[in-house]
Amino acid sequence: MRPKSETLTAQELEIMKVIWPRGQATVREVYDELRAQRAIAYTTVQTMMNILETKGHLKREPGEKAHVYAPVRPQQIVVRSMVREFVNRVFDGSARPLLVHLLKERGLTERERRELQKLLDREE
């Protein structure tokens, strides 16, 4: 059996990115926001939100007219877990190759370099 993963699928993450800033949302609210960006079915959003609840990422509570979904964990915690899982899976747990790759592929602005240096200085 496959071990449980904290990593969200692309579609799950898209839904969570709508809910996190709001703190909570109904299926209709998430659907309306996603529909403004691309074609998507209401039932798809509903199914995905139910899956997120089953996986423990959302909690559902009754609202006045519809169920209201709220995130179980803050965005920062989920993203940290996803990054950690990615680094473990792709780079055998070492963040250095990831950082080197990002620097070579994307490059950094002078401002980003200063911010990174401040973070590194704080860690020493």
Side-chain angles (χ1 to χ4, degrees), residues 75-111:
Q75 183 175 9
Q76 183 180 4
I77 300 296
V78 174
V79 170
R80 183 180 302 137
S81 176
M82 289 177 68
V83 169
R84 187 179 314 113
E85 187 173 316
F86 175 79
V87 168
N88 287 338
R89 188 167 33 91
V90 178
F91 297 104
D92 297 322
S94 175
R96 186 181 186 284
L98 173 61
L99 291 171
V100 169
H101 174 77
L102 291 172
L103 286 169
K104 285 182 178 178
E105 290 296 316
R106 183 172 171 263
L108 293 177
T109 66
E110 187 57 39
R111 179 178 177 211

Side-chain angles (χ1 to χ4, degrees), residues 1 3 9 12 15 17 19 22 29 48 51 55-56 59 61 67-68 70 74 78 84 93 102 104-105 107 116 119:
M1 184 191 316
T9 67
E12 290 169 346
I15 288 169
K17 284 181 175 181
I19 299 172
R22 295 169 177 256
E29 291 168 336
M48 294 306 300
I51 290 170
K55 287 181 162 185
K59 62 182 175 186
E61 296 178 1
H67 287 104
V68 176
V78 174
R84 187 179 314 113
L102 291 172
K104 285 182 178 178
E105 290 296 316
L116 181 57
L119 286 170

Side-chain angles (χ1 to χ4, degrees), residues 24-79:
Q24 64 181 30
T26 63
V27 173
R28 171 63 61 187
E29 291 168 336
V30 173
Y31 167 75
D32 288 343
E33 188 162 328
L34 294 178
R35 182 77 175 107
Q37 301 166 20
R38 66 179 178 91
I40 190 168
Y42 179 88
T43 54
T44 300
V45 175
Q46 184 175 39
T47 299
M48 294 306 300
M49 289 175 70
N50 287 334
I51 290 170
L52 284 163
E53 180 191 17
T54 300
K55 287 181 162 185
H57 291 284
L58 290 176
K59 62 182 175 186
R60 180 177 65 181
E61 296 178 1
E64 285 184 36
K65 295 182 180 180
H67 287 104
V68 176
Y69 293 80
V72 172
R73 289 180 288 292
Q75 183 175 9
Q76 183 180 4
I77 300 296
V78 174
V79 170

